[in-house]
Amino acid sequence: MKKLSVLLALFFAGTVAAKTLVVGLSSEPRSGDPFAFNETPTNSFNYNIYDALVMLDAHLKVKPGLATSWEVKDPRTIVFHLRKGVKFHDGTPFDAYDVKYTVDRAKNWEKSQFKVYFKPIKEVIIKDKYTVIFKLSRPAPVLIRDLRRLRIMSKESTEGKSPDYIAFHPMGTGPYKFKEWVKGDHITLVANKDYWGPKPYFDKVILRPLTNDAARTAALLSGAVDVIEDVPLTDAEKIAKNPKFSFFKTDGLRLIFVGVDVARDKIFKGKTPHGENPFKDVRVRKAFYYGIDVNGIIKYINRGYNSPASQYFPSTVFGYDPTIKRAPYDPEKAKELLKEAGYPNGFEVTLDAPNDRYINDEKVAAAIAADLAKIGIKVKVNAIPKAVFFPMVNSNKTSFFLLGWSCSSADGAAFFDNILHTRDKEKGYGRFNDAGYSNPTVDRLIEEQDTLMDQAKREKIMHKITRLTLKDMPYIPLYYYVNLFAAKKGIVFTPRADHVMYYRDFKEVK
Amino acid sequence: MLEIILRRLWQSIIVLLAVSLLVFVMVYVSGDPVELLAPPDATEVEVAQLRKALGLDKPLHVQYLQFLKHALHGNLGYSYVNNAPAVELIFERMPATFELAMMATIIAVIFGIPFGIIAAVNPKKIYSKAIMIGSLFGISFPTFWVGVMLILIFAVTLGWLPSSGRGETVKVFGIPWSFLTWDGIKHLILPSVTLAGYHLALIVRLVRAGMMEVLLQDYIKFAKIKGVSKKKIIFVHALKNIMIPVITIIGLNFGGILAFAVVTETIFAWPGMGKLVIDSIHLLDRPVVVAYLMIVAVIFVIINLLVDIAYTFLDPRIRLK
């Protein structure tokens, strides 16, 4: 009898203590292989299972992870001191061999989508079990940040396993262990009791992909899930006002902007008096800047949740210049500029935009057209599926386009390299330079900051690049994305600009 | 019987060839999957590598011939997005959809036929009019709206039924089923009712129209004069004669529900193949789309065959030739 009551007590103690968090995701992760897909839902999921050498805190500043410290010996050599006594979920110990193995897999596995970040690593030298030396092919100032993506896998347990196996058997040293994946229905994670860092509060986390916006909101309102990400803009206000729920909001990393074709001599899609390309004249570009009512778009289309963008990335990103402000909407000034440029009666142009990529992308394009109509520009909106849109604009078959970009490493270099630098396949620059912008001074500065280890000096150059290109204005920043989360009252966490959800940061307060 | 099955088999091979060719061309013209798959940070060299790894660097006809060659070996391709063979992905999701479609069809039939009969026998009564108006709503309301409304009423406001997912499942022969647990059944109710709505309404209207027509015929009058009970006239003599079009519609609809439960599955986060295929279409994951449509084509061929066989039981004059 006594035995039974002890057993019962244990049983109930167990059930009472097990704290479960159910999360409604807006998209399902694609793989538990940390290098198979580089997209936010997959990365966010894997960050809970794996640890990297470094982490980014809630303000996206670098802090130690599996490396307790590191020294930059010279611009091409970094020494990492590894954390001792860390174990993978299957009990195998973590050491320098795992780091070398993971770098190799991230760089050389044919399907790795993370090659670009680790390209500067020429060689990984194992000095001893807990010290690794990275030899670099060039000075790489963003590498330390990017190492956050190098989620360490166990050499002992993973080597020789097929990618298909790894994809559904994720195993790292992180705060949560993978338990079960019923595709399309749910993923179950359980707390790693031996985690080296602060122990997670929730013992069990269940992730449920609820891709339909209305369904995700309904699941939260009906109590089926505790937290949802990407609160639909149409439901946000209602949830924010409901005392039964907590609402979380932070600026995201993604910038929504428009660009214009500055390369061609003739206008590609549109009509001007002599068929010339009006965007060759910087005054026309400036007129567009003043003529688009960004605050109006935010207020009337995105329900007031976004922040207008003064530059290419928000303040959480390294390289942000706090002294740059966005000039207010000024249609009179825009008309003046157009008149000066020789277009008192405006001209016609097509605005290419995706209709299934960014939140409200098509509506935003229509609003831009309406704003520009007020300064005499006749804009035809061509909103098409992303699968057609991207191949089209990335081959510069556009005169005027709407695009989004997020500096996912929280370093502005990604925008400079991919969008502002002259397109150069060999060097890997300008893949999304859809405006065809080319400024030798800017190119030189971009290449300089890409190999400058002195971050203070580098930041100054980055500010200079931003200022120079905003003066040329091939791209007009509009607004930053907003990350919205909602949870049952009592659940607290810090929403992050990079949109990653670290479930170890989630707590419940009464 | 064997002859008809063989003939259907031959027809289905032609259908499959046509479907696969169509999907290949359509995906090809709708955009470039590599642009969607490659992360934005990747350099152009890496994008080219990815294109090559997926075999998308070759001209379309070469890709198609390669696909046919692999298909003959039973391999319909490897999903670009999901790290798994396309067929495996679809079969993994099929039981969930099958369960939902089956439940929806059962609801549509067990309510649709009696309602249709009631509305036909006493067309002037107020409840008959209510049934007909209800069926009009059932046909006209879009599925997504009905689904969202049901969620709003039964999940959010009343809190009686869950709004999403499959709930607790029990594995039989390694396949998880929801209808074997109470929690699973609760999860099944809202999506299957949503899915059944349109088909229920259709069956009501079809049964009513057929019944009204048949009830006026001479043999029914004769039976009445002979003194056969009203019950027997309706359920034996009349019903049997109106079942052929009804069975055809039930069969076709079952195929339709199975293949295109997309909207309902998305709203209720039901992990079926409809949801898989809509995601695959968005990402231009061609192997999955091709495999899916080919499997759907086979399902339709089989259902039509079953419907034909059912005819012979209902009407002895029909013989399968």
Side-chain angles (χ1 to χ4, degrees):
Chain A
M1 196 60 212
K2 205 176 164 189
K3 236 185 203 168
L4 183 72
S5 57
V6 170
L7 266 177
L8 274 177
L10 274 176
F11 175 75
F12 283 113
T15 48
V16 170
K19 292 180 288 278
T20 305
L21 180 74
V22 187
V23 184
L25 302 177
S26 62
S27 359
E28 186 169 15
R30 290 186 195 163
S31 173
D33 185 327
F35 304 112
F37 292 99
N38 186 11
E39 48 125 37
T40 308
T42 305
N43 283 334
S44 182
F45 163 64
N46 283 319
Y47 280 131
N48 287 286
I49 298 172
Y50 298 90
D51 288 317
L53 294 180
V54 304
M55 299 195 266
L56 295 187
D57 66 12
H59 309 289
L60 307 186
K61 302 270 181 295
V62 177
K63 66 172 188 180
L66 287 178
T68 48
S69 63
W70 52 90
E71 299 130 40
V72 180
K73 290 276 174 203
D74 64 69
R76 287 189 168 80
T77 311
I78 311 175
V79 180
F80 290 93
H81 301 284
L82 305 182
R83 203 173 285 278
K84 288 174 189 155
V86 176
K87 282 193 164 49
F88 285 97
H89 297 157
D90 66 348
T92 51
F94 157 75
D95 57 35
Y97 293 92
D98 300 309
V99 177
K100 189 177 164 72
Y101 164 74
T102 307
V103 171
D104 184 56
R105 189 161 187 282
K107 275 189 68 173
N108 300 327
W109 174 40
E110 57 157 11
K111 283 193 178 163
S112 167
Q113 294 203 346
F114 292 76
K115 290 176 186 165
V116 64
Y117 307 110
F118 310 122
K119 214 161 63 185
I121 305 173
K122 199 171 72 189
E123 201 190 348
V124 177
I125 300 164
I126 298 173
K127 196 176 159 217
D128 59 54
K129 231 176 146 188
Y130 295 105
T131 315
V132 283
I133 301 163
F134 281 25
K135 286 276 177 199
L136 310 184
S137 56
R138 62 168 174 86
V142 192
L143 181 69
I144 295 281
R145 273 181 181 281
D146 282 334
L147 284 179
R148 168 219 201 186
R149 304 169 195 268
L150 186 79
R151 284 148 294 184
I152 305 294
M153 304 168 80
S154 166
K155 178 178 198 261
E156 208 177 323
S157 312
T158 321
E159 205 170 27
K161 293 272 194 332
S162 76
D164 292 7
Y165 176 86
I166 296 169
F168 295 105
H169 298 83
M171 207 271 297
T173 60
Y176 280 95
K177 293 184 189 182
F178 173 80
K179 184 157 174 247
E180 182 191 37
W181 192 335
V182 178
K183 257 183 272 160
D185 197 67
H186 70 271
I187 303 173
T188 309
L189 304 175
V190 290
N192 175 8
K193 294 268 184 294
D194 305 318
Y195 187 54
W196 55 267
K199 304 277 180 288
Y201 176 85
F202 286 100
D203 304 303
K204 198 167 155 191
V205 176
I206 297 171
L207 309 176
R208 300 199 31 210
L210 300 166
T211 47
N212 180 274
D213 282 350
R216 201 160 59 252
T217 305
L220 178 78
L221 294 180
S222 65
V225 300
D226 302 320
V227 185
I228 58 170
E229 64 176 357
D230 298 334
V231 178
L233 288 172
T234 43
D235 300 327
E237 203 183 332
K238 219 171 55 204
I239 294 177
K241 280 187 181 155
N242 189 331
K244 283 178 20 225
F245 300 98
S246 312
F247 187 69
F248 304 87
K249 165 184 175 257
T250 183
D251 270 347
L253 292 177
R254 176 168 283 134
L255 168 81
I256 298 294
F257 62 99
V258 288
V260 293
D261 170 25
V262 292
R264 287 186 184 81
D265 289 325
K266 298 274 167 204
I267 187 157
F268 183 63
K269 286 184 189 170
K271 218 163 108 191
T272 49
H274 308 287
E276 78 284 7
N277 180 0
F279 301 116
K280 281 285 204 188
D281 190 325
V282 70
R283 286 172 295 194
V284 175
R285 278 135 48 193
K286 292 261 155 148
F288 275 41
Y289 177 89
Y290 288 110
I292 298 173
D293 181 9
V294 174
N295 283 315
I297 292 173
I298 294 171
K299 190 170 164 200
Y300 295 112
I301 296 174
N302 290 337
R303 314 245 169 174
Y305 285 104
N306 305 85
S307 313
S310 61
Q311 52 201 291
Y312 309 123
F313 29 80
S315 58
T316 38
V317 173
F318 185 79
Y320 176 84
D321 185 343
T323 61
I324 301 175
K325 300 275 179 268
R326 199 183 203 288
Y329 171 56
D330 191 345
E332 287 314 311
K333 190 164 179 179
K335 273 190 225 161
E336 201 56 44
L337 282 162
L338 280 178
K339 211 163 136 191
E340 272 175 42
Y343 297 100
N345 300 317
F347 53 87
E348 282 177 35
V349 67
T350 299
L351 170 58
D352 295 309
N355 61 12
D356 57 353
R357 177 64 189 91
Y358 311 113
I359 295 170
N360 291 334
D361 38 17
E362 188 172 359
K363 286 186 197 155
V364 171
I368 292 171
D371 285 344
L372 292 177
K374 289 179 201 149
I375 59 166
I377 310 284
K378 218 170 133 194
V379 179
K380 198 182 125 207
V381 175
N382 175 34
I384 51 178
K386 60 186 176 200
V388 188
F389 173 80
F390 283 107
M392 182 180 82
V393 294
N394 289 348
S395 53
N396 294 67
K397 291 193 184 95
T398 178
S399 285
F400 182 29
F401 52 91
L402 177 87
L403 211 59
W405 183 269
S406 95
C407 292
S408 56
S409 304
D411 187 292
F415 193 94
F416 299 160
D417 294 351
N418 287 293
I419 293 168
L420 295 177
H421 195 288
T422 308
R423 199 165 273 190
D424 187 336
K425 234 180 186 172
E426 298 298 300
K427 288 198 207 157
Y429 278 121
R431 185 177 154 216
F432 289 90
N433 187 345
D434 301 332
Y437 176 65
S438 179
N439 180 335
T441 317
V442 169
D443 288 356
R444 190 177 48 75
L445 289 171
I446 290 174
E447 284 171 41
E448 188 183 342
Q449 63 82 36
D450 270 341
T451 52
L452 194 65
M453 293 303 276
D454 182 339
Q455 298 287 4
K457 255 193 205 157
R458 193 173 156 248
E459 195 174 16
K460 282 213 181 79
I461 299 177
M462 292 172 86
H463 290 173
K464 206 168 159 191
I465 296 169
T466 303
R467 283 176 179 281
L468 270 174
T469 49
L470 282 176
K471 220 169 108 202
D472 282 347
M473 200 153 278
Y475 300 102
I476 302 169
L478 299 179
Y479 57 87
Y480 305 118
Y481 246 37
V482 65
N483 295 341
L484 302 178
F485 303 86
K488 185 174 86 179
K489 197 101 220 161
I491 289 179
V492 289
F493 70 102
T494 314
R496 298 171 58 104
D498 62 5
H499 201 287
V500 173
M501 284 202 271
Y502 284 100
Y503 303 116
R504 60 154 191 263
D505 294 340
F506 284 66
K507 302 219 165 28
E508 191 166 21
V509 290
K510 289 280 174 236
Chain B
M1 187 68 108
L2 188 69
E3 193 200 322
I4 181 115
I5 293 174
L6 284 177
R7 183 141 38 99
R8 283 292 163 85
L9 212 64
W10 167 240
Q11 285 169 354
S12 60
I13 288 170
I14 295 176
V15 170
L16 291 183
L17 272 175
V19 165
S20 61
L21 187 64
L22 213 68
V23 175
F24 257 75
V25 174
M26 271 162 63
V27 173
Y28 187 75
V29 296
S30 17
D32 183 358
V34 181
E35 288 280 348
L36 300 182
L37 277 172
D41 291 355
T43 58
E44 296 203 36
V45 178
E46 287 168 39
V47 176
Q49 279 172 353
L50 180 65
R51 192 182 302 281
K52 207 168 160 220
L54 295 174
L56 291 169
D57 53 335
K58 300 189 184 74
L60 187 64
H61 66 276
V62 177
Q63 290 179 36
Y64 185 64
L65 290 177
Q66 214 151 36
F67 163 78
L68 287 184
K69 206 177 100 192
H70 289 150
L72 285 177
H73 293 94
N75 171 10
L76 288 183
Y78 207 83
S79 163
Y80 302 152
V81 180
N82 289 294
N83 278 311
V87 175
E88 195 184 300
L89 281 170
I90 292 163
F91 280 124
E92 210 175 75
R93 305 270 189 123
M94 200 188 260
T97 302
F98 187 79
E99 182 173 53
L100 188 62
M102 206 61 211
M103 192 77 163
T105 305
I106 290 171
I107 292 173
V109 171
I110 61 170
F111 288 102
I113 293 177
F115 282 174
I117 293 172
I118 292 170
V121 175
N122 298 309
K124 294 239 164 72
K125 287 271 166 39
I126 185 94
Y127 53 78
S128 298
K129 291 201 167 125
I131 289 173
M132 291 321 288
I133 291 173
S135 76
L136 208 61
F137 283 134
I139 286 187
S140 0
F141 283 160
T143 319
F144 71 86
W145 187 84
V146 174
V148 171
M149 280 301 129
L150 288 178
I151 290 178
L152 201 64
I153 296 167
F154 292 101
V156 176
T157 312
L158 298 172
W160 293 350
L161 293 166
S163 62
S164 59
R166 276 188 92 180
E168 209 179 314
T169 54
V170 171
K171 275 192 181 171
V172 180
F173 303 120
I175 300 167
W177 297 101
S178 288
F179 74 99
L180 297 172
T181 68
W182 175 233
D183 184 53
I185 290 173
K186 282 206 299 198
H187 280 82
L188 250 174
I189 294 173
L190 290 184
S192 52
V193 166
T194 306
L195 205 50
Y198 175 81
H199 307 285
L200 174 77
L202 205 63
I203 291 174
V204 167
R205 299 188 82 83
L206 207 65
V207 168
R208 177 179 175 269
M211 200 49 120
M212 288 182 95
E213 198 185 319
V214 168
L215 286 181
L216 292 176
Q217 285 185 8
D218 290 348
Y219 77 94
I220 300 286
K221 282 183 196 152
F222 183 70
K224 261 188 203 160
I225 296 164
K226 231 172 71 176
V228 180
S229 73
K230 201 175 172 188
K231 237 189 211 154
K232 204 171 169 198
I233 290 177
I234 292 168
F235 289 103
V236 179
H237 298 286
L239 192 59
K240 215 171 165 184
N241 279 294
I242 62 160
M243 278 316 271
I244 287 197
V246 175
I247 292 269
T248 312
I249 288 295
I250 292 172
L252 278 178
N253 276 350
F254 181 70
I257 294 176
L258 204 54
F260 308 110
V262 181
V263 176
T264 312
E265 287 182 1
T266 312
I267 295 173
F268 291 96
W270 191 263
M273 51 183 189
K275 214 162 147 272
L276 171 76
V277 85
I278 199 79
D279 293 343
S280 304
I281 290 172
H282 279 311
L283 290 162
L284 297 179
D285 193 350
R286 191 179 66 200
V288 178
V289 180
V290 173
Y292 174 78
L293 286 175
M294 289 178 79
I295 289 169
V296 166
V298 170
I299 290 173
F300 267 95
V301 170
I302 293 172
I303 288 173
N304 280 330
L305 183 66
L306 292 178
V307 166
D308 284 354
I309 292 169
Y311 287 167
T312 62
F313 289 107
L314 286 169
D315 187 344
R317 287 170 302 181
I318 298 176
R319 288 280 169 269
L320 292 178
K321 274 191 194 126

